[in-house]
Amino acid sequence: LANNLIAKGLFLRGGDVVVARPTALEGRACVNRIQTVGDSALLLGDCPDDSFDSRRFGPVLTDEVVGRVRIRLWPPSILR
C-alpha cells in the first residue's frame, strides 16, 4: 500500500487522475495523475517538458486534493 493515499475520504492509488488546488497555484485547479510521497503527493502530467505539475510547483498536501476524475468528456471524439 506504499503508493496509496487517502484524501477527503477518497482512497487514491498512484496513477489515478485527480483534481487539486495547490496553494502554489493561488486557488486555480489542475488535473494530473497522482503519485504519492508520504503524506503529500506529486501531480505529474504526461509531457514532462510542457506539463504544469509538481515538477514546477512541488508536492501538494492531501488537503489540496479535491477529488478523483471519474469520467472525461473532452474532446468529444473520445465519446465515439
Side-chain angles (χ1 to χ4, degrees):
L1 298 179
N3 200 23
N4 297 325
L5 178 73
I6 297 177
K8 300 201 186 230
L10 295 172
F11 181 74
L12 302 171
R13 294 182 303 251
D16 283 349
V17 178
V18 299
V19 177
R21 291 188 183 275
T23 305
L25 298 183
E26 300 174 350
R28 290 178 288 163
C30 65
V31 178
N32 290 99
R33 292 195 186 281
I34 193 170
Q35 293 298 322
T36 61
V37 179
D39 291 337
S40 60
L42 295 176
L43 302 177
L44 301 174
D46 293 336
C47 183
D49 294 334
D50 293 327
S51 294
F52 193 72
D53 58 19
S54 287
R55 290 175 278 236
R56 293 190 189 199
F57 54 77
V60 299
L61 302 174
T62 57
D63 290 344
E64 297 172 329
V65 175
V66 177
R68 181 185 314 118
V69 173
R70 307 233 5 169
I71 188 168
R72 179 178 147 191
L73 297 175
W74 198 262
S77 61
I78 67 165
L79 300 175
R80 294 182 189 162

